[in-house]
Amino acid sequence: MKRKEYILNGIKLIFLSIVFVLYIFPFFIVLINSFKERKDILLNPMMMPNKLNLSNYIDAYTKMDYLHAFANSLIITVFSVLLITLLSSMTAYIFVRRKWKFNQFMFFFMVASMIIPFQGIMIPLVKIYGSVGMMDNKWSLIYMYIGFGASLAVFMYHGFIKSIPVELEEAATIDGCSQLQTFFKIVFPLLKPTTVTIAILDILWIWNDFLLPYLVLISPDQRTLPLSVFYFYGTYTIEYGPAMAALMIATIPVIIVYLIMQKQIIKGVLQGSIK
Amino acid sequence: MDMEKSFLSKLKTYFIFAGPVTIAFFTVVILPFIYGIYLTFTDWNGISATHSFIGFQNYLQVFKDKVFWTSFLLTLKYVFFSVILINAIAFFLAYLLTSGIKGQNFFRAGFFTPNLIGGILLGFIWQFVFSNILAYIGQHFNLPIFSASWLTDPNKAFWALVIVTVWQYSGYMMVIYISGFMNIPRDLLEAASIDGANSYHRLKNIILPLMVPSFTISVFLTLQRGFMVYDINLSLTNGGPYKSTELISMHVYNTAFLSQQYGIGQAEAFFLFAVVAIVTLLQVYFSKKMEVES
C-alpha cells in the first residue's frame, strides 16, 4: 500500500511538473528572445542568447515612454482602488444600518446591474462623455472605474457588515462619536479583510484593463502600460527584439509584486470567488 | 440606530455616505445603458450633429446580417469549447493540488501566473509562440501540424484562441475549485473509505455533489468572460485571417467605432447582453438546483 502510494505521488509530481513547464514556457521564450538580435530570433527562436544584450530594453523603454505609462497606470489603479473601497464601504454601511425602503431598492438595483456587460454600455458611454469633454483624461477614467467597480464592492461589503454586531457602534455613539467618526474609527478597521479582498480583485482588473482606457484615453501622454505596449507593438511589429523587451518590462513589475504578495493574492482571489 | 427623524436629515445622511457612489453609478452605468436603448432606434453615425429616429430598423438589419450571425455562432463555439476545457483542466489540477502533494503552493502559484498579466500582453506573447516558436519546431522536427503558423490558418487560428484562453483562465478557476475541495469535510471522506468506497465512488458520490457550488461560480465566470472576450482576440489574431476569428465583442466594436454605425453596433451589443443574461441566469438557476448540503 505504501509503495503504491509512493509511485502514485511520483506520477502526480511528474505530471504537474510537465504542466508547470507548459504554463511558464511562453514567458521563458519571450525572456530569452528579448536579449537577442532580430536575425538570431528569426534564425533560431529556441536558442539561448549568447550574451546579455540590453539594447532591446533601452529601445523599448524609450520608445514606449515606459516611465510615463507606468506612472499613469499606477495613478489610475491606486486612486481608483482607494476610492472604490472607501466610498463603497460607506455606501454598504448605510445600506445595512438604515433599513430604509430606498436603501433596499438601491442595493437591489446595484446588484441587478452587475449583469450588464461593459460592451452593452461602451458606445453610449463614449458618446456621452465625449460630448461633455470628459474624454482623454485619467481622472475621468478613475471616475468611471468607481461607477463600474462600486456594485461588486458594495455587494461584498454588504455581506460582511451584516455580520458585525451593532452594539459596538451604539457604544461609540453614546460616547459622543458622530456618524462619520463611528464609521471611520469603529467600522472601517473591522472591514479590513474584505477591503484587502476587494483591493486585490480591483487591482488585477484595473491594472490590466484594456478596452476602457483604449476608448477613453486618446493622447499618447495619457496611456497606461497595456495601451503603451499595444501601440508600441503595432508600430514595431517586425522588430521582434524590442517587442519582446516591451512585453518583459510590462510583465516584470507584476511578477515581482506577485512573488512578494503571493499568499495574499491567492487568498484574495479565493475569497472573492466565494461571494 | 435610526437617528434621523425628518426627511431632510435622512437625505443628508444618505448623501454623506452613499452620495458619491450613487452619482457615479448612475452616470457611468445607468445613464449610458438607458441612452444606449435610445441609440438603437437612431441612425447616428458618430460624427454628425443630428440623427433621426428610425424605429426597429437597426434590429432588423442586425438580424439580416450574415456576418453578424457568423461572428455570433463562432462566439458560441468558442465559449462552448473554452468553458468545458477550462473547467475540466481546472478541476483536475485542483484535485491533484489538494491531495497533499509536495510543493503544492509552488504549483498553485505557477498555474495562476497568467491571470496577473493582461489579455493584451498574453495575446502578444502567444502570437510570438505560435508564429515563431511552434513554426520553427514544426519545420525543424518535421511536424506538419506546426510547420505553418496557426494564426494564418482560419481553422487553426480559432483553436489558438481557445488554447490561449484555457491557458489564461484555468489557473483562476483552479483556485475556485481548490477552495471547493478544501470545504469538503475530511471525516466524510474517511467514513466513506472505511465503509469500503474506492476513490471513484468517493469522487462520484461525495466530491462531485459537494463541488456543485464551485462549478456554479466557475462556469458562470467562464461563460461571462468567454462571451465578452476582446483583448486576447485583438492582440492574438486581430480577427484574422480574413475575419475568421472575429468574435462578437470585436464585431460590436468594429461596427460601432470603425464602420461608424453606432445604432447598429448598440443593437448588436444589446442582443449580446440579452443572450449572456439568459444563458448565465439559466446556468445559475439549474446549478443551484443541483446543490446539496454536506
Side-chain angles (χ1 to χ4, degrees):
Chain A
M1 195 62 195
K2 260 274 181 298
R3 196 184 148 81
K4 205 177 139 196
E5 225 167 78
Y6 197 71
I7 295 170
L8 191 68
N9 267 339
I11 294 170
K12 280 184 192 168
L13 209 60
I14 293 167
F15 175 79
L16 284 169
S17 306
I18 293 170
V19 179
F20 186 83
V21 171
L22 285 178
Y23 268 70
I24 298 303
F25 177 72
F27 297 115
F28 175 72
I29 282 297
V30 170
L31 177 71
I32 60 172
N33 284 292
S34 66
F35 297 113
K36 300 196 308 208
E37 282 174 33
R38 181 177 145 80
K39 68 170 184 1
D40 288 338
I41 298 172
L42 290 176
L43 217 57
N44 184 353
M46 300 282 281
M47 188 182 60
M48 292 300 282
N50 39 28
K51 61 177 188 293
L52 228 79
N53 178 7
L54 291 178
S55 63
N56 289 333
Y57 280 87
I58 296 163
D59 221 17
Y61 183 88
T62 34
K63 283 182 188 151
M64 267 173 73
D65 200 1
Y66 181 79
L67 212 58
H68 207 141
F70 187 85
N72 283 339
S73 272
L74 199 65
I75 292 169
I76 290 167
T77 308
V78 167
F79 278 94
S80 301
V81 173
L82 280 180
L83 288 167
I84 289 173
T85 47
L86 177 74
L87 299 173
S88 302
S89 61
M90 292 172 76
T91 305
Y93 173 72
I94 212 72
F95 283 0
V96 174
R97 289 290 183 248
R98 301 284 186 281
K99 302 237 177 304
W100 303 329
K101 278 248 160 57
F102 182 74
N103 283 356
Q104 284 168 335
F105 166 76
M106 271 303 298
F107 179 63
F108 173 77
F109 199 53
M110 289 180 81
V111 173
S113 79
M114 280 198 270
I115 200 157
I116 303 173
F118 177 67
Q119 276 79 0
I121 17 189
M122 67 179 182
I123 297 163
L125 190 80
V126 168
K127 175 151 166 54
I128 292 170
Y129 287 88
S131 66
V132 293
M134 272 179 75
M135 293 298 245
D136 202 17
N137 179 332
K138 48 171 134 9
W139 300 102
S140 307
L141 190 64
I142 291 168
Y143 177 73
M144 290 177 192
Y145 278 128
I146 298 171
F148 287 122
S151 297
L152 181 70
V154 168
F155 177 65
M156 287 172 72
Y157 276 122
H158 195 278
F160 191 79
I161 295 171
K162 265 199 306 198
S163 68
I164 301 176
V166 77
E167 283 77 15
L168 269 174
E169 296 156 43
E170 282 169 345
T173 312
I174 293 163
D175 287 346
C177 278
S178 73
Q179 290 182 82
L180 276 174
Q181 280 172 328
T182 309
F183 177 78
F184 283 110
K185 286 189 178 154
I186 311 288
V187 183
F188 194 69
L190 289 173
L191 299 178
K192 201 180 152 204
T194 310
T195 305
V196 172
T197 304
I198 294 171
I200 286 169
L201 292 177
D202 285 352
I203 289 169
L204 286 178
W205 161 47
I206 295 168
W207 182 269
N208 291 322
D209 193 26
F210 176 75
L211 191 48
L212 183 60
Y214 186 51
L215 291 168
V216 175
L217 305 175
I218 298 142
S219 45
D221 66 328
Q222 294 286 327
R223 280 174 195 163
T224 61
L225 213 43
L227 278 183
S228 132
V229 172
F230 177 73
Y231 286 110
F232 179 79
Y233 223 93
T235 329
Y236 299 95
T237 337
I238 312 132
E239 301 212 27
Y240 284 120
M244 295 300 109
L247 291 176
M248 279 324 291
I249 51 177
T251 308
I252 287 167
V254 184
I255 300 289
I256 293 172
V257 173
Y258 184 49
L259 288 177
I260 301 168
M261 309 218 356
Q262 206 195 93
K263 276 217 175 85
Q264 289 92 319
I265 290 173
I266 300 267
K267 220 175 109 191
V269 168
L270 227 160
Q271 279 162 345
S273 66
I274 301 167
K275 303 281 161 186
Chain B
M1 276 287 278
D2 261 329
M3 287 166 286
E4 300 85 357
K5 294 281 173 276
S6 70
F7 176 73
L8 265 181
S9 67
K10 278 183 179 176
L11 197 69
K12 196 177 137 208
T13 307
Y14 183 87
F15 266 94
I16 289 171
F17 280 89
V21 160
T22 307
I23 292 168
F25 172 68
F26 269 96
T27 51
V28 174
V29 181
I30 302 304
L31 181 70
F33 185 72
I34 294 167
Y35 188 65
I37 299 175
Y38 166 77
L39 270 186
T40 62
F41 299 110
T42 70
D43 63 354
W44 187 53
N45 63 8
I47 306 162
S48 64
T50 57
H51 50 253
S52 43
F53 194 78
I54 54 165
F56 283 93
Q57 267 185 47
N58 287 331
Y59 288 98
L60 271 174
Q61 209 160 335
V62 171
F63 278 98
K64 278 193 269 180
D65 183 3
K66 279 206 183 77
V67 183
F68 171 77
W69 286 109
T70 313
S71 180
F72 180 67
L73 289 176
L74 188 77
T75 310
L76 286 184
K77 186 175 152 194
Y78 164 82
V79 169
F80 178 79
F81 285 109
S82 51
V83 167
I84 289 180
L85 288 172
I86 291 171
N87 285 285
I89 292 172
F91 183 85
F92 186 58
L93 291 177
Y95 183 67
L96 291 181
L97 288 177
T98 44
S99 61
I101 206 156
K102 266 206 191 95
Q104 57 183 19
N105 286 333
F106 173 77
F107 285 120
R108 285 178 193 178
F111 297 146
F112 187 79
T113 311
N115 292 284
L116 302 162
I117 294 139
I120 279 290
L121 275 86
L122 299 181
F124 283 136
I125 291 173
W126 276 91
Q127 192 196 68
F128 184 76
V129 171
F130 277 117
S131 45
N132 293 63
I133 303 296
L134 292 181
Y136 176 84
I137 293 174
Q139 282 154 13
H140 283 256
F141 297 91
N142 252 330
L143 299 166
I145 185 165
F146 291 135
S147 58
S149 168
W150 280 30
L151 303 178
T152 53
D153 177 320
N155 191 35
K156 284 181 185 158
F158 170 81
W159 290 104
L161 207 55
V162 172
I163 289 172
V164 180
T165 309
V166 171
W167 174 76
Q168 180 184 13
Y169 287 126
S170 48
Y172 198 100
M173 302 309 149
M174 172 199 74
V175 170
I176 295 175
Y177 287 120
I178 285 176
S179 85
F181 275 114
M182 308 235 273
N183 284 334
I184 296 175
R186 290 279 145 240
D187 47 345
L188 209 62
L189 290 174
E190 273 164 31
S193 295
I194 292 164
D195 289 346
N198 61 28
S199 52
Y200 168 73
H201 282 128
R202 277 181 309 207
L203 184 70
K204 184 171 160 267
N205 296 322
I206 300 173
I207 298 176
L208 283 180
L210 286 177
M211 288 290 279
V212 172
S214 307
F215 278 106
T216 311
I217 301 162
S218 192
V219 171
F220 172 79
L221 287 176
T222 35
L223 272 175
Q224 246 196 350
R225 291 177 187 201
F227 275 110
M228 296 305 141
V229 66
Y230 178 78
D231 44 10
I232 282 193
N233 197 186
L234 181 69
S235 60
L236 185 69
T237 65
N238 196 9
Y242 321 113
K243 291 202 165 213
S244 61
T245 59
E246 190 181 85
L247 296 177
I248 192 78
S249 180
M250 180 176 268
H251 185 79
V252 169
Y253 181 93
N254 291 349
T255 308
F257 298 112
L258 298 184
S259 316
Q260 303 202 306
Q261 298 174 306
Y262 284 70
I264 295 178
Q266 188 56 27
E268 290 174 350
F270 272 150
F271 177 77
L272 174 65
F273 159 61
V275 170
V276 178
I278 292 167
V279 170
T280 50
L281 286 177
L282 281 178
Q283 179 255 325
V284 171
Y285 174 77
F286 284 111
S287 335
K288 286 269 175 208
K289 268 189 140 174
M290 285 166 65
E291 283 181 19
V292 292
E293 296 280 321
S294 64

